[in-house]
Amino acid sequence: MRTAPTILHLDMDAFFASVEQASKPSLRGKAVIVGGLGPRGVVATCSYEARVFGVHSAMPMGQARRLAPNAAYLVPRFGLYRTISEQVMGLLRALSPLVEPLSLDEAFVDLEAGGTAWDRESARLAGVRLRADIRAVTGLTGSVGLAASKMLAKIASEEAKPDGLVLIEPGTERDLLGPMSVRTLPGVGPATGDHLRRAGITTVDEIAEAGEDELVRLLGRAHGHALYAMALALDDRPVVAEREAKSVSVEDTYDVDIHDRVRVGLEVQRLADRCVRRLRGAGLSGRTIVLKVRRYDFSTLTRSETLRGPTDDPAVVREAAARLLDSVDTTGGVRLLGVGVSGLADYTQEDLFAQAAEERDEGQVEDVAEEPEREEAGPVERRWAAGHDVRHAEYGHGWVQGSGLGRVTVRFETPESEPGRVRTFRVDDPALEPAEPLPLVARRPELQG
């Protein structure tokens, strides 16, 4: 196990909400909640101003609205979040070839492997410069933890939040961990935490005092051994460079259960097309088509079909998903649908397209492909999603504050402007149209070193 604190953990601060605040001057310093806005929506991320009211990630949106009724509630803009995440990950890869992303806003970096750091001072300097570079490139803040292991680096970044840097000095790890809750350790979730609490174990020190044999008796051999080692601050897990995606999938949860079998079929076709667009965007193809159906009673069914070779043909994926749907009973209603592709490859098998063409009626496929287009363009609320970008022929760039009753309210401002004015239009105003997000930072500065 290394002794120098050269493992870095970066966690962007309230990432989705911070992106929204950076792009919308009128929301800076205010409570912002990002997530699904329907009755079954959940909070994806909330700003620190919203957390004061008790709102947190994964909370049902209805509960969040009760706790913070005056917050700004926005629909996620995942395309923009991915773009900014790529900028951040690029800065991390400039530090080391060993970067292990955990999500869009979180990653481990082995600074020693990149020759960026070899002792305490060089590691701290690398962390300070990284935070400055992230702010310069994205306008956002991130918290950095530095330690001799992944577990401790992640704990350090939690201690650093928000917008800080914490380095755990070698030799102080046991003293730091001892009084912390058992939930601090990786792999200790609510169920394991409750199990340990019933055995009188609530802190990391008490895990160490219980001994390895007792932990194995309580939790099983593998989990008991691992937990005892982590309580002693022993964690030799390496930083693993980014792995290729194992699958590409999309899914939708519906505010009201879908009972109409035809509508269910159209939704599956629409999801198949979205999945293929994401697949092609990543330059991939896949052999196994997966359908996920969550029914009215919360029971979840998964069906899959493996093709003779990899494909990125939307018609092939639509047909396979439709065949899988035929084997699922949707009587009683459907609350969630998903389509995925696994068994990924970076090429396609051309004869699969010919095979599909022989087996399908071309006219029927074209009709099915057109239906989702009309479905998406129809509902006003889906077109004018709260928080999404628009442009008006006279007033310029803005974002949707809300829509309903045939009206859409827009605030006109940009990341570089002062807080803008609000105007209301008819939802079919020809001068108003959806727009692409603007960069959070107008000009990317030259980064030295």
Side-chain angles (χ1 to χ4, degrees):
M1 180 174 172
R2 73 182 72 200
T3 56
T6 53
I7 300 295
L8 181 148
H9 181 260
L10 170 72
D11 196 352
M12 299 295 289
D13 298 323
F15 184 49
F16 297 172
S18 294
V19 170
E20 299 301 341
Q21 289 178 317
S23 67
K24 301 172 171 67
S26 60
L27 297 184
R28 293 169 191 170
K30 298 182 180 178
V32 174
I33 299 172
V34 180
L37 302 189
R40 293 173 177 163
V42 297
V43 175
T45 309
C46 60
S47 67
Y48 287 96
E49 295 85 355
R51 297 180 191 188
V52 172
F53 298 99
V55 180
H56 58 78
S57 299
M59 172 181 283
M61 194 60 77
Q63 184 180 354
R65 288 187 185 275
R66 289 191 293 274
L67 293 172
N70 297 320
Y73 289 85
L74 307 176
V75 175
R77 297 186 292 168
F78 288 111
L80 176 59
Y81 306 152
R82 279 191 289 269
T83 297
I84 296 169
S85 174
E86 289 166 5
Q87 293 176 328
V88 173
M89 296 300 166
L91 294 173
L92 298 183
R93 293 187 185 98
L95 296 175
S96 172
L98 289 185
V99 175
E100 183 178 344
L102 304 179
S103 63
L104 288 176
D105 62 340
E106 186 181 1
F108 287 110
V109 184
D110 187 332
L111 298 175
E112 188 175 354
T116 308
W118 48 92
D119 60 11
R120 176 187 180 282
E121 286 308 312
S122 58
R124 182 182 293 278
L125 179 59
V128 169
R129 287 200 308 218
L130 172 65
R131 293 179 59 238
D133 288 348
I134 288 172
R135 186 184 290 272
V137 171
T138 69
L140 305 176
T141 64
S143 296
V144 167
L146 291 157
S149 69
K150 290 169 69 172
M151 176 186 73
L152 292 165
K154 185 171 174 62
I155 290 172
S157 70
E158 284 296 318
E159 294 290 312
K161 282 190 166 295
D163 191 19
L165 182 150
V166 168
L167 183 148
I168 296 180
E169 300 281 358
T172 68
E173 296 92 347
R174 289 287 303 276
D175 291 337
L176 175 76
L177 280 177
M180 290 184 171
S181 164
V182 295
R183 292 288 305 277
T184 304
L185 300 180
V188 181
T192 302
D194 286 344
H195 194 52
L196 291 171
R197 180 180 53 77
R198 288 193 294 271
I201 300 172
T202 59
T203 68
V204 176
D205 262 345
E206 288 168 346
I207 289 179
E209 291 167 4
E212 190 170 11
D213 290 343
E214 176 66 6
L215 291 171
V216 168
R217 186 185 71 80
L218 288 171
L219 305 174
R221 182 170 299 278
H223 201 177
H225 282 314
L227 201 58
Y228 182 69
M230 287 188 288
L232 301 180
L234 302 176
D235 176 23
D236 58 359
R237 294 173 300 159
V239 175
V240 180
E242 184 175 7
R243 297 182 178 91
E244 294 183 1
K246 295 181 179 179
S247 65
V248 172
S249 62
V250 297
E251 62 182 43
D252 276 346
T253 300
Y254 303 99
D255 295 342
V256 178
D257 291 349
I258 303 176
H259 294 84
D260 181 3
R261 181 76 178 188
V262 173
R263 168 87 189 283
V264 172
L266 290 174
E267 288 293 321
V268 168
Q269 301 293 285
R270 182 177 62 83
L271 289 166
D273 287 341
R274 277 176 53 197
C275 184
V276 169
R277 285 197 295 270
R278 184 172 294 183
L279 194 70
R280 288 181 166 180
L284 298 169
S285 60
R287 296 182 65 237
T288 302
I289 314 303
V290 181
L291 175 71
K292 177 179 177 182
V293 179
R294 180 166 297 149
R295 298 187 291 189
Y296 70 98
D297 59 357
F298 287 90
S299 61
T300 302
L301 304 176
T302 303
R303 299 287 186 269
S304 64
E305 175 182 319
T306 299
L307 307 172
R308 290 207 300 260
T311 183
D312 65 353
D313 183 352
V316 174
V317 176
R318 283 197 301 265
E319 290 173 3
R323 286 194 296 271
L324 295 170
L325 179 62
D326 287 341
S327 67
V328 176
D329 179 12
T330 60
T331 305
V334 170
R335 59 187 295 118
L336 177 145
L337 291 168
V339 174
V341 177
S342 61
L344 301 182
D346 58 1
Y347 65 95
T348 58
Q349 187 167 308
E350 296 297 336
D351 65 351
L352 205 72
F353 303 157
Q355 166 203 339
E358 293 171 0
E359 295 176 353
R360 69 176 181 255
D361 180 335
E362 295 286 355
Q364 289 181 348
V365 170
E366 289 177 4
D367 290 342
V368 169
E370 289 174 2
E371 284 296 328
E373 298 290 333
R374 294 195 291 271
E375 180 78 6
E376 287 186 358
V380 170
E381 290 77 11
R382 294 183 70 177
R383 180 182 177 193
W384 305 119
H388 283 220
D389 299 83
V390 295
R391 177 168 292 279
H392 191 275
E394 180 180 353
Y395 301 110
H397 191 94
W399 58 277
V400 176
Q401 283 204 179
S403 64
L405 301 177
R407 299 283 177 178
V408 56
T409 301
V410 177
R411 185 180 289 273
F412 291 97
E413 59 187 6
T414 70
E416 303 293 326
S417 74
E418 296 295 320
R421 297 188 62 179
V422 174
R423 298 183 183 274
T424 299
F425 308 91
R426 291 171 53 90
V427 294
D428 56 357
D429 189 325
L432 190 67
E433 61 183 7
E436 291 297 316
L438 297 176
L440 301 187
V441 177
R443 224 178 20 241
R444 175 170 174 165
E446 294 290 333
L447 296 180
Q448 301 298 327

